[in-house]
Amino acid sequence: MFSKILIANRGEIALRIIRACREMGIRTVAVYSEADRNSLHVRFADEAICIGQPASSKSYLNIPAIISAAEITDVDAIHPGYGFLAENAHFAEICQSCHIAFIGPTPENIRLMGDKMAAKNTVHKIGLPLVPGSDGVVKSKEEALKVAKRIGYPVIIKAAAGGGGKGMRICHNDIKLASSFMTAQSEAEANFGNPDVYIEKYVEKPRHVEFQILADTYGHVVHLGERDCSIQRRHQKLLEESPSCVLDNKTRKRLGELAVKACKSVNYVGAGTMEFLLDKNNNFYFMEMNTRIQVEHPVTEMVTGVDLVREQIKIAAGERLQLKQENIRIEGAAIECRINAEDYENNFMPSPGRIELLNLPGGPHIRVDTHIYQGYEVPPYYDSLLAKVIAYGSDRQEAIKIMRRALNEFNIGPIKSTVPFHMRLLENSSFCKGDVSTHFVQEMLGTVQEPAQNE
Ligand code: MV4
């Protein structure tokens, strides 16, 4: 096992990883930007090194600074968390060449799944269902119109190097498609350095359901059920739950087995998430695979009892998965609310600043993952996630009740947070019935979906 790990991240996920390390008897090194000197991850780690200026590009994305910190502190491994360098194949390769274990999939895994079309082709061969669409890159407007004629409108143009909702365009007719196509190509080139785009039938008001996977270096792969992440706004998830209330055991087993088979076929290693869209008739379509630990991983931990970060570390250290598929049981229901420093009554405007007052919820069946404390100053440079509140109940209705109780205990000021949004959501009758889609938040708020933020 590793004796020392560097955590190349900040905020709640850095703390989450430090906690796993502590329990495993592994020493930790935090890295931090000049804006994060007073962050809890700096205080909780055994050592801490400043890696640069506040801007992410100067610190948490600064590969030479992070590798230098790893060399100086003589760590065995680097955990990238989520975001920043987590899905950077080049960074994973550099770690390898410096004889530092990258706690995540192989560079080949990351590269394959980062190419959204290659990922689709690969999993399709294994039998995963895909939404109708172009067979690979669409090179011209004429070809795009032909594809649309075959699959019918509405269609969606996606960047091959995009993902997570970035670089997508919905078209309802030939005229829109013809006028959007070249723009989509040049946007793809500008945003991702690759002009390749592909076309799919647009699934209207789908649900977003994703499967959690764990794979060791010996080809043993298991799934840990699914999360429903339909409650989102501008491609930022706001609430996630496990299990999804629209999946029966039979479908869960079938899709889970397909997801496992797909991971085996690409020699996948580590934790991963296979994302699906679910249409109104409960048809599943594979969308993409994320090769990192996800923000919403705690809901899976709550219903399975598996510590996903600990498993990631064990896998990277070359240990065999002890988990067997037949021993993984989904029990009860878990819901996570993301508490962001955003003013929901003001179009979710960022609300950074000093936290003067703070009361975090607690009590039975509540988990709070957060790096904030009274007196902490929320810097304006990074994502606005302040805390994740996770409620566990015997079923979804119980989890909802427990979450309402917990959010009532959540007091923060004077900065604004998404707590009031979640309180309103948890009182919404459609939400409580589980009658939601990826358009639910905009419908509830009576707004139109704005284009994805290209972070
Ligand atoms: C789609 C789709 C509908 N049809 N693809 C967004 C994230 C990325 N992983 C895949 N995404 C979508 N792909 C087809 N063929 C709907 C989404 C989607 C979405 C689209 C518009 C506005 C909000 C959305 C939220 C989740 C998923």
Side-chain angles (χ1 to χ4, degrees):
M1 184 38 73
F2 304 129
S3 31
K4 210 197 239 188
I5 292 176
L6 180 142
I7 297 114
N9 215 300
R10 62 181 302 282
E12 66 85 19
I13 194 66
L15 280 182
R16 169 71 187 84
I17 298 161
I18 292 171
R19 285 175 170 143
C21 291
R22 267 282 144 75
E23 290 171 7
M24 299 172 81
I26 301 169
R27 279 171 291 142
T28 54
V29 178
V31 292
Y32 62 96
S33 75
E34 286 166 13
D36 277 341
R37 282 188 191 286
N38 298 318
S39 247
L40 276 194
H41 76 283
V42 174
R43 265 196 262 162
F44 280 23
D46 296 305
E47 294 169 68
I49 296 193
C50 183
I51 49 164
Q53 289 164 11
S56 300
S57 59
K58 297 270 169 70
S59 49
Y60 299 106
L61 291 172
N62 183 345
I63 296 177
I66 291 167
I67 296 290
S68 303
E71 299 281 10
I72 289 164
T73 52
D74 196 26
V75 300
D76 311 303
I78 296 182
H79 196 307
Y82 52 67
F84 298 125
L85 297 169
E87 290 173 286
N88 185 320
H90 173 64
F91 179 63
E93 249 159 24
I94 290 175
C95 291
Q96 252 179 9
S97 63
C98 297
H99 306 287
I100 301 165
F102 176 79
I103 302 175
T106 63
E108 296 74 35
N109 292 158
I110 300 173
R111 210 159 263 138
L112 173 67
M113 295 305 168
D115 180 338
K116 302 302 164 188
M117 272 183 309
K120 285 199 343 172
N121 283 334
T122 307
V123 305
H124 189 54
K125 289 200 191 98
I126 301 306
L128 279 173
L130 298 183
V131 66
S134 61
D135 188 21
V137 189
V138 179
K139 292 286 184 196
S140 68
K141 188 169 76 183
E142 290 71 28
E143 200 188 328
L145 291 167
K146 257 189 229 159
V147 173
K149 198 177 179 83
R150 174 164 58 83
I151 65 178
Y153 286 101
V155 301
I156 183 165
I157 313 175
K158 296 183 176 183
K166 289 175 224 165
M168 308 192 323
R169 267 161 185 272
I170 301 156
C171 301
H172 289 271
N173 53 54
D174 281 353
I175 295 171
K176 284 279 160 48
L177 179 58
S179 68
S180 297
F181 186 76
M182 278 175 42
T183 324
Q185 281 182 321
S186 32
E187 273 182 10
E189 169 78 68
N191 292 323
F192 312 109
N194 175 358
D196 289 352
V197 297
Y198 60 102
I199 292 179
E200 289 177 350
K201 173 93 182 173
Y202 179 61
V203 183
E204 290 178 276
K205 299 196 181 180
R207 297 179 79 111
H208 172 144
V209 173
E210 56 184 36
F211 272 78
Q212 177 68 54
I213 301 292
L214 282 175
D216 69 15
T217 50
Y218 307 93
H220 186 52
V221 187
V222 296
H223 75 85
L224 295 105
E226 79 288 354
R227 297 182 286 260
D228 194 315
C229 308
S230 301
I231 303 296
Q232 59 87 39
R233 180 184 170 272
R234 298 171 74 179
H235 301 290
Q236 301 292 329
K237 294 167 186 167
L238 287 164
L239 177 148
E240 307 95 345
E241 46 188 298
S242 184
S244 168
C245 60
V246 292
L247 240 71
D248 56 40
N249 282 329
K250 211 176 126 204
T251 315
R252 177 172 301 114
K253 188 162 186 287
R254 181 173 62 84
L255 274 164
E257 279 171 5
L258 281 172
V260 164
K261 210 168 136 197
C263 288
K264 280 185 180 161
S265 80
V266 297
N267 298 317
Y268 193 81
V269 175
T273 300
M274 305 199 83
E275 181 190 315
F276 297 85
L277 290 188
L278 184 51
D279 72 14
K280 291 186 194 87
N281 303 318
N282 275 10
N283 294 310
F284 271 90
Y285 308 103
F286 170 82
M287 282 289 125
E288 55 188 72
M289 182 170 192
N290 299 320
T291 57
R292 58 170 191 272
I293 189 78
Q294 298 211 194
V295 177
E296 59 271 26
H297 75 276
V299 292
T300 299
E301 295 187 324
M302 298 286 260
V303 297
T304 60
V306 174
D307 182 328
L308 291 170
V309 177
R310 182 192 294 229
E311 294 302 325
Q312 281 190 296
I313 295 169
K314 283 163 64 177
I315 290 166
E319 291 194 9
R320 278 173 193 280
L321 264 182
Q322 301 294 313
L323 287 164
K324 292 198 166 57
Q325 191 64 55
E326 62 265 29
N327 298 335
I328 297 171
R329 291 248 143 65
I330 312 294
E331 220 167 302
I335 299 178
E336 170 180 283
C337 288
R338 295 194 192 187
I339 312 304
N340 297 333
E342 291 169 5
D343 183 358
Y344 117 86
E345 285 175 283
N346 207 343
N347 202 27
F348 291 81
M349 189 159 33
S351 180
R354 196 179 138 92
I355 298 170
E356 304 290 355
L357 172 125
L358 182 67
N359 254 313
L360 291 174
H365 306 308
I366 285 293
R367 165 175 168 183
V368 181
D369 279 21
T370 185
H371 59 294
I372 65 171
Y373 53 87
Q374 206 155 310
Y376 175 71
E377 180 138 356
V378 181
Y381 308 102
Y382 314 107
D383 78 19
S384 60
L385 185 68
L386 292 174
K388 307 189 300 206
V389 178
I390 306 104
Y392 178 79
S394 52
D395 58 26
R396 189 170 184 269
Q397 286 318 311
E398 260 333 283
I400 289 174
K401 282 188 213 163
I402 292 166
M403 182 65 86
R404 284 192 197 127
R405 184 274 290 169
L407 292 184
N408 263 303
E409 295 173 12
F410 201 121
N411 265 310
I412 185 164
I415 68 167
K416 300 284 188 201
S417 81
T418 49
V419 169
F421 164 80
H422 285 293
M423 303 248 250
R424 182 168 158 196
L425 176 64
L426 293 164
E427 295 298 337
N428 181 287
S429 65
S430 295
F431 173 80
C432 292
K433 280 184 273 180
D435 180 17
V436 300
S437 77
T438 53
H439 284 59
F440 182 79
V441 174
Q442 72 183 80
E443 286 165 1
M444 182 181 99
L445 298 176
T447 53
V448 283
Q449 178 112 14
E450 287 134 280
Q453 302 158 321
N454 284 325
E455 318 103 315

